[in-house]
Amino acid sequence: MNSRSRYVWAYIMIAPTLLGTLIFWGWPVLQSILLGFQQSENFGLINHWVGFDNYVKLFSDEEFWQNLRNTLYYVVLFVPITLALSTFFAVLLNSKIKGLSIYRVIFFLPQVTMPAAAAMVWVVLFAQDFGLINHILGTRIAWLSNPNYAMFVLVIVGVWGAIGLNMLLILAGLQGIPKSLYEAAEIDGAKRMGKFRYITIPMLTPTLFFTSIILLIGATQIFDSIYLIIGKTNVALPAVRSLVYAYYQNTFVYFNPNYGAAIINVLLLINIILTGIQFALQKKWVIYD
Amino acid sequence: MTEVHTASARKINSIVHIILIISAIAMLIPFIWMVLTSLKTTTEATQIPIRYLPETPSLRGYTEAIKQSAFSHYYINTIFTAFMKTAFPVIFSSMAAYAFARIRFPGGTFLFALIISVMMVPNPVFYTPQYMMMSDLGLVNTVTALWITSLISPFATFLLRQFFLTISKELEEAAVLDGCNPFQIYWHIMLPLVKSALVAIVIIQLQWSWNELQWPLIINSSPEKMTLSSGIATLVSMFGTDYPVLMAGAFMAVVPMIVLFFIFQKQFIEGIAFSAHKG
């Protein structure tokens, strides 16, 4: 078969994915950027060009900065905790231990659980009067409506849901480390901790890098748990409201798609910057053999 | 010396077990509490001091959740949407992934990069324009709107390409000599070789679409057009603090995926671990 007809076949085979990507994702990204510079009537039916007006308004809005701080605060708490606990459990499960597959299944179970359903049981668990958490701790904390605690609830729920998948990714990374490295270290008299510090961690850095990027991008988009667990009338909402939540509220509750677009475009920019930083820092800590 | 060594190893082993057992129970508490609460009476669910077990387990929560909400619609919409959002992306992605992995063609690298770059964009960036698109097409508040924007998957394309890249060249060379076109090679030779990856992607897509909340919430507001995810979210406003009903609804929404998970847990877990390994 000549190369020309191979080309044609290749284009035919990528056509659905390419067209779908351009129509449903590529075009919307451009639209979203445009919407940020426009003022629309009737939800995007008539658009006027307003330059940076939406952004000027956004950056002078204290609520936006609060939402941005909330989002970053969540990221800063959620990502390291998830990464640390996932690594911890992956290391424990990497040894030859009885009931390995049962633990794997149990830890992964939250991953397959619908967030909307899980959120409801978390509301019951964290209830002030009849909640199991307060009962176990012997406290009477208003977890969900106290601005000081609401964020911790979201982090706990987030970590609970994320450990399974990330533990699995890290476990796969651990099993990819050649056994010969450990054997060589044992001959040199390395102890458990030494082997962990000088072999496991360095060899695991590519996996940790990959996992941290996925976690970071996911964490900046926190919405479900705020919407479901905190809810729109909760006094603690301002203390946890994320950029995506604010985007949703402005666009689909207040019907201001332009202000919403400005918010979400800022998040897009933040994600590009954060990923860029991670790739730049990669050279400092990720070890490829 | 050896005895001391095994003794300490055994001690570490039992510490590991204790940590794992406690953590596993902690991970399971929400599930246990969901089921227990769903079987309680409304007063039992909020009783102080706390009540662990229902006095006489009642199914009122379940019958009430089904009777008072559009539960059968939620189920049908969710199953249909999940099917569409799984079948099409798997077919389209595997085709594109094969072409990107095995055929060198002008613009291939660029187009692949273009498709992959979409993965980096936060999903909400797409929602307003997609909503406008659906609105122009008169599809707001229809079941079609739930799946039409997700018939393709950059993630699946990326993952499957990784798998196709690992297959040795000799396998297709014989088929080329026999005069097979690239599509025939893909369909008859390559696809069966990546079966395990396909199963993993089917499961991941199913799970994503089953659990997705934000898009269904945005695009559909009438109960008959909702998915389990958005339907469950609205149960809260319908039943307020009738926790047994809420928990029963939640339980019914998670059970299908959990059952599927237990049946396919090997593929579920190994598919994901394997794909990470390859990536």
Side-chain angles (χ1 to χ4, degrees), chain A residues 60-130:
Chain A
S60 58
D61 183 357
E62 181 39 41
E63 195 181 292
F64 163 74
W65 294 107
Q66 174 73 41
N67 298 338
L68 179 62
R69 278 197 298 274
N70 292 341
T71 306
L72 295 179
Y73 188 39
Y74 178 78
V75 170
V76 165
L77 285 175
F78 168 82
V79 176
I81 294 176
T82 306
L83 216 48
L85 284 177
S86 305
T87 311
F88 177 71
F89 288 121
V91 168
L92 291 191
L93 290 182
N94 195 32
S95 45
K96 280 199 192 76
I97 217 164
K98 258 194 221 128
L100 205 81
S101 63
I102 299 168
Y103 289 123
R104 269 197 332 190
V105 166
I106 292 175
F107 280 82
F108 197 75
L109 207 50
Q111 173 73 27
V112 294
T113 307
M114 180 186 290
M120 286 204 273
V121 71
W122 283 111
V123 169
V124 176
L125 287 169
F126 276 109
Q128 186 175 9
D129 301 319
F130 55 87

Side-chain angles (χ1 to χ4, degrees), chain B residues 102 162-169 171-172 190 193-194:
Chain B
R102 312 298 293 202
Q162 299 289 108
F163 281 89
F164 282 126
L165 282 174
T166 60
I167 297 169
S168 83
K169 265 208 159 60
L171 279 164
E172 25 180 11
M190 299 300 263
L193 292 174
V194 293

